[in-house]
Every structure is written in structure tokens, then in C-alpha cells.
Amino acid sequence: MRKVPPEEYLTKGLYTTLGDYQISSVDGVNLMAEEESKPVLVRERLDVCELDRARMSLLNPALIAQKMAERTIDENAKPLIEMAMKEGIETVWDRFEMQQPPCKYCEAGISCSRCTMGPCRIIPPHRIRGVCGADADLIVSRNLLDTIATGSAAHSDHGRDIVETLYLVGTGKTTDYGIADPDKLRLIAKEYGIETAGKSAHELAATVGSAMLEEYGMVKNTLQFLNRAPKATREMWDKLGISPRGIDREVVDCMHRIQMGVGADYVNILLQGLRCSLSDGWGGSMMGTDVSDVLFGTPTIKSSRINLGVLREDHVNIAVHGHNPVLSEMVVKAVADPELVALARKNGAKGINLVGLCCTGSELLMRKGVPMTGNHLNQELVITTGALEAMIVDYQCIFPSLPRTASCFHTLIISTSAKATIPGSYFFDFTPDKGFLTAKAIVRMAVENFKNRNPKRVLIPGTPVPLMTGFSNEAIKNALGGSFKPLIDLIAAGKIRGAVGIVGCNNPHVKHDYGHVTLSKALIKKNILCVETGCAAIASAKAGLLMPDAAALAGDDLRAVCEALKIPPVLHMGSCVDNSRILVLAAELGNALNVPIHKLPIAGAAPEWYSQKAVSIGAYFVASGVYTVLGVMPHISGSSAVVSLLTEGLKGAVNANFAVEPDPVKAADLIAAHIEKKRTGLGI
Ligand code: BF8
């Protein structure tokens, strides 16, 4: 296959096409049945620079052992990290080390490259304003608003993709998807004031889909799901002027304010950050969650398995990585297709083994019990097992370097979103109208790649850990006999002191999984129930905390509750957009007690966060009245005014604030103290 020079790349359009470059096979793999979609190679297949690999592998064994111990607490990850270091296969931790020391101005948030009068840095005592006149407070707050808007946009655009699929289903433009939970669709339609009597599920899908899409603009000027929040919480938003008006509108408003010469007041800028984050939590993310439930099924409690050991030596292994279940649900269907299963057997495999990674993995785990390989910092290691035929990605949290890692093995990286093409990947333009055919084409490509696997390079470490998943609010209520009343009674009686939403990512600044697992263990010991999403939940799952027998690690009261209900002390509530489930849980508790969210004995935590999306989540937690403790300092330390507003000043506005505590044991103490204060406030 010849390389494509950049000039040609630009003149021929975004992708090199199969037709242009006559790729009829990829590394010896025949492509596609006639009617199925065909992939295009994005730019060129990457090859790792041999010099880099050789240089990196010059580590002595003692150093390798030390790095292995420092990088992760995931025992199954360690042998693969070791192998990668010995072979000079670059991982996120190597790149992190190469970036040290970081730029101290960027770290403090006081560098600005927004316009070409700069770039500028604030260096007291003399350089205290950028060329435009912006001081440290303004530069830090503008950078933070940019971060929130980016995260909010990512979640909400994901939500839009799901809602659009609902609309396409309702209008008959795709028949590949159905309505898995028509009851939930009817309930949502009623919330929107849509007449449901005599309407079919498909008719409602079209009407609800259209009404939701409208909320991305500003025709309506409010968001329906804000009404789920307790009245006093909504009044607080209105009074402060942070009730979101439209999802896209709030993101655009943020972008407008950070244009030079618009927002000049850091307080005003940060309040818009809260409003934008609310449009994510109570808007885009909440629609993403609820409509995913409608299309693919509301999760119910079920069992599965997790860690890198879920890969199977004698199967075609396919990982789905990213966030959007519109893609991964179709892949689930395709791997069960008898023709493709037969093809896998013909190629010498015993079958096709589908596994999940990150949030799209959580979506499949919650609804279908599909096993999970791991979380964010496991993504390269899944490839280094040498047993992965294909990693299918959509968008968000996907390292751009994955094709580079894959080039050390036979693994194919298959990208599927036009928003997220990745050089070195094979791109399929996945759209819901031809979802199944495209998914079949992708799976076929993976199956055909099995024969390229080198069995001598396969290293699948350890055995999988069992877990319990599927704790949607509906599933929790069912387990409690139909309402949250028993949970409220247990909290009122002090058997459960409170609940904490532990959310967010992995980040090489923190030992992989250490923050999540240590915090979860410390909190359950204090009889505080943990509800978890995203990579936090996956860390706890790998550590065995999502099993009922983990109740043995809890305090006596919580242990007794978990044993009686046969549930784990840490409940998996889904992916990152499913943090909206935590908002709904808080809202329902507030409504039942007739108090605003900020009066509840609850808190949030993000011990290992890295992403802009996590900043948006933290902001909507706090804006909703939930005290939130971060384990990693955001890039704001260059403005004491911004730090003080976020950690103290917001109490006067939204009755909640951020705290930053890198030590998860101390973070648990902060959270427990907060919960006890709230209990006292409620007189319980
Ligand atoms: O949305 S927890 S690393 S995978 S950003 Fe990403 Fe963070 Fe994981 Fe999902 Ni969320």
C-alpha cells in the first residue's frame, strides 16, 4: 500500500478511498461482501518508528518493575505494561513522562493564545495583563469556560445523535432499530405534554424526537427535564439567571463570551459556565440517557465479568470503545449474525467474543451484560494482548495514537464517526439508516483478520472478575419494591448515612484506579452508599466492589442493608452521560422530601478526572446543589479569585461548592463531614 502525501490528501478530499488507491485487501484481509459498506483508509497505515521503540526498550528490569508498580493498581494491566516497556511499545504513561515538567503557566491557567495580539502569559509583578488588557482572573475564567463548553458540547452532541436516531426510527427512516421500552417513551411523552392516547410507539418516537431536537435551539427557550428538579432548586437557578435556554445556545453563548472583547468579568463568565453545564446534565446528557433506554432498553440488574482477562484466546476478539450505543448496539447484533459466526469458525476461531471499553462498554454492560475489558487507561493495553482483531471506535476519549499501538500487532482500528476520523484507522461512515449492514461489514473485517494473529505474541493476563450491573433508577426502585421510600427510610434511620456519586476518568497524574478504589472503599466503610458511572465504576468493578460480597468491606450498617437486599455497596449506574441518572435520583429524593437538592446528604467526587466532559459534570453537580470533591486540580490556580469563587463563593449562589483533595482518604473524610452536616440540617 503506498503512502499518500499531504498535498494529495487535501486535493482528493478527506480520505483516501478504496477506489482511488485500489485497496482490495488490508494486510491480506479480503474486504466486504458486495452490498455492505466499504471502509476508507484515513491517510495511511501507521508504522511505529523502530528507533523510538529501540530507545524506549533500553530500560533496566528494576526500573520496569518500579514503573509497573507506580502506574496502576490493576493487576491484569501490570504484565502488559511490563511487556510494552520491554518491547518499546509506547503507552500513555511514557508520553506523560516525556511531557514533564509541564508548562507552569498552562498548569495555572494563566496563558492565553486566543488571539494573535498574543500569545500572552501572566508573570507578576510586571506582566499582569495580556496585550488586550485581560488580567489573570479573566484569562483563567475564559479558559475554564472554554473547558466547560467543550465538555458540555461533547455530551450534548452525543445526546443529539441518540435523539436523531429516535426520530429516524419514528419516521421510518431506519428499520434497524426498534423501541425497546415503549412504556418509558410514553412517560417521557407525557412529561413533554404530548397526547399519548391512541398513538403507536413509532408515532410517539417521531413526536418526542422532534420535540427534543427543538431543545437544541432556542425556539422554546427552556428545557423540559429541568422540571424534574425540585421546585426550590429550579427557583434558585431562575433567581441566579442560570436556567439554560437551549442546549446549543448555551455552548454558543460560552464561545461568544470568550471571544476577545466580550466577557470581561470573571464572575459573569463563570455563571455562564454553570448555565452551560446545566444544559448538559439536565439537557443533552439526560436526553441521551433516557432515549438510549427507550431505544435499547432500560437497564435491569444483571451479572457479567470484567478486566483484560475477558479476551479469549480461541475466539475472534472485537472491542467497542467510545460512547455511542447507536453504533455498539448494532455491533452486538452483527456479532450474533449466523453468517459471521460461521465465517469465524471457518477461519479457525471458536466464535466471536465482543468486549467493551470505556463508556460505550458501560452502555452494553448495563443493558446486555457484555463483558468489559477496562477503563480509559486500559485502552492501549487491550491491543497489547496481541489477541484483539479489531477495536471499533466512535468518539470521545479515544487516544489518537491507537493506530500506532495497533501497528505493533495485527489489530485493526476501525473509526466510524465523520467527526472523529483517525489517521491510520479504517473508516466506515456509520449512520443509523444503514446501521446493521455497516456493523456487519465491520465485524466481517475483524473476523477475516483472525488469521493474521500471531499466537506467539498473545498475552491475556489473569481471569475475569464477576460484577453486578444495571442499576438504573427504575431497577433500583424495582429492587426496593416500587419506590425510593425504603431508601429514604434507611437514610433517615442512619443505616445509610448518605450517597455519593463517584464519577469520571483515569488520568496518568494519578495511579491508575487508585483514587476511585481507595475513595469507594473509604466511603462504604463509613456507611455511605456509592453510586458510580464511567471509568470510576469500571475501576471499582475490577477491584470486586460491584459484587454483593464487597459488603464485607462496608461499615456494619451498610453491610446489613446490602446483605438484606443482596446488592453491592457500590452501584453501577452507567456511562458518563448516565450521570443524569444520578441527577434524577437526587431530584426524586428531593421531591419526596420536599427539599431542594442542596439539602440532601449527598455529594459528588471525581478522583481521577481528566476530561473537559468531567468539568462539565462537576459544574452541573455543583450548580444543582451537590458538593463535589475533585482529585486533580483544574488549571485555575493562577487566579485566587476564581479558586475562591469555586471553593467558597458559590455556596452563596447555589448552596454548593467544589473542593480539591488529591488524597482519596482525606477526600472521604471531607465528604463524610459534609454528609453529617446535611443530616443535621434535615434533623436526621
Ligand atoms: O465519558 S469517564 S475517561 S470514557 S470522560 Fe472518558 Fe472520563 Fe472515562 Fe466516558 Ni467519561
Side-chain angles (χ1 to χ4, degrees), residues 137 140-141 143-145 148 266-267 269-274 609 615 618-619 622-623 626-630 633-637 639-660:
D137 301 337
V140 167
S141 63
N143 289 343
L144 186 59
L145 185 62
I148 293 173
Y266 77 93
V267 177
I269 282 181
L270 293 178
L271 286 177
Q272 172 58 22
L274 296 187
W609 74 275
V615 182
V622 169
V626 181
Y627 169 70
T628 298
V629 182
L630 306 177
M633 181 69 178
H635 297 158
I636 59 171
S637 61
S639 165
S640 54
V642 170
V643 172
S644 153
L645 179 70
L646 297 179
T647 55
E648 283 298 326
L650 284 182
K651 286 185 206 165
V654 291
N655 297 292
N657 60 303
F658 284 100
V660 179

Side-chain angles (χ1 to χ4, degrees), residues 499-578:
V500 177
I502 304 182
V503 307
C505 325
N506 298 130
N507 182 328
H509 278 280
V510 182
K511 188 192 276 196
H512 177 214
D513 290 351
Y514 173 80
H516 297 305
V517 173
T518 311
L519 179 64
S520 301
K521 283 184 177 170
L523 288 170
I524 62 174
K525 191 93 204 141
K526 295 173 189 289
N527 295 305
I528 294 168
L529 180 72
C530 295
V531 290
E532 303 193 357
T533 60
C535 291
I538 301 316
S540 290
K542 285 186 282 175
L545 298 179
L546 300 195
M547 283 302 283
D549 61 9
L553 301 173
D556 290 345
D557 289 335
L558 180 59
R559 184 174 67 220
V561 171
C562 292
E563 284 172 355
L565 294 171
K566 297 189 175 49
I567 57 165
V570 177
L571 304 182
H572 182 206
M573 292 193 81
S575 64
C576 270
V577 292
D578 293 340

Side-chain angles (χ1 to χ4, degrees), residues 155 321-323 357-360 375-377 379 396-398 503-506 516 533-536 575-577 579 608-614 617:
H155 277 150
H321 174 22
H323 287 79
L357 192 63
C358 290
C359 282
T360 208
N375 49 8
H376 186 56
L377 291 192
Q379 61 182 285
Q396 300 171 19
C397 302
I398 294 148
V503 307
C505 325
N506 298 130
H516 297 305
T533 60
C535 291
S575 64
C576 270
V577 292
N579 285 314
E608 302 181 32
W609 74 275
Y610 91 87
S611 162
Q612 295 103 319
K613 292 180 288 172
I617 294 164

Side-chain angles (χ1 to χ4, degrees), residues 302-584:
K302 56 181 65 67
S303 302
S304 188
R305 297 166 301 129
I306 190 162
N307 74 28
L308 291 152
V310 299
L311 293 172
R312 300 173 81 169
E313 204 161 345
D314 51 7
H315 278 60
V316 172
N317 290 304
I318 301 176
V320 279
H321 174 22
H323 287 79
N324 190 338
V326 172
L327 167 72
S328 52
E329 286 277 342
M330 262 319 113
V331 177
V332 172
K333 239 171 141 177
V335 297
D337 186 87
E339 184 214 339
L340 293 173
V341 174
L343 186 62
R345 294 205 178 112
K346 194 174 140 213
N347 282 353
K350 286 206 172 135
I352 306 173
N353 182 36
L354 180 68
V355 297
L357 192 63
C358 290
C359 282
T360 208
S362 267
E363 301 271 358
L364 295 186
L365 181 65
M366 287 277 286
R367 296 197 180 88
K368 305 273 186 307
V370 171
M372 280 284 272
T373 48
N375 49 8
H376 186 56
L377 291 192
N378 287 120
Q379 61 182 285
E380 290 162 314
L381 303 180
V382 183
I383 297 170
T384 62
T385 60
L388 190 69
E389 274 56 58
M391 181 176 282
I392 306 167
V393 304
D394 48 51
Y395 43 52
Q396 300 171 19
C397 302
I398 294 148
F399 289 149
S401 56
L402 285 185
R404 193 178 147 86
T405 316
S407 76
C408 301
F409 299 88
H410 72 302
T411 308
L412 299 172
I413 304 296
I414 298 177
S415 53
T416 59
S417 166
K419 290 169 198 159
T421 57
I422 305 171
S425 70
Y426 295 94
F427 172 71
F428 285 82
D429 193 3
F430 186 91
T431 50
D433 57 324
K434 48 184 172 52
F436 184 57
L437 264 188
T438 311
K440 267 187 82 174
I442 293 170
V443 171
R444 185 185 306 281
M445 197 169 169
V447 168
E448 293 283 22
N449 196 26
F450 181 72
K451 54 179 173 278
N452 295 321
R453 187 195 288 181
N454 178 354
K456 291 199 188 111
R457 295 202 71 201
V458 170
L459 173 58
I460 301 175
T463 49
V465 169
L467 63 86
M468 197 181 256
T469 182
F471 289 92
S472 59
N473 285 312
E474 292 84 344
I476 297 172
K477 269 192 212 165
N478 278 345
L480 293 171
S483 84
F484 285 128
K485 170 106 183 13
L487 177 63
I488 292 170
D489 291 345
L490 286 165
I491 293 174
K495 300 290 178 197
I496 297 175
R497 303 304 295 174
V500 177
I502 304 182
V503 307
C505 325
N506 298 130
N507 182 328
H509 278 280
V510 182
K511 188 192 276 196
H512 177 214
D513 290 351
Y514 173 80
H516 297 305
V517 173
T518 311
L519 179 64
S520 301
K521 283 184 177 170
L523 288 170
I524 62 174
K525 191 93 204 141
K526 295 173 189 289
N527 295 305
I528 294 168
L529 180 72
C530 295
V531 290
E532 303 193 357
T533 60
C535 291
I538 301 316
S540 290
K542 285 186 282 175
L545 298 179
L546 300 195
M547 283 302 283
D549 61 9
L553 301 173
D556 290 345
D557 289 335
L558 180 59
R559 184 174 67 220
V561 171
C562 292
E563 284 172 355
L565 294 171
K566 297 189 175 49
I567 57 165
V570 177
L571 304 182
H572 182 206
M573 292 193 81
S575 64
C576 270
V577 292
D578 293 340
N579 285 314
S580 63
R581 296 192 202 277
I582 298 178
L583 291 181
V584 171

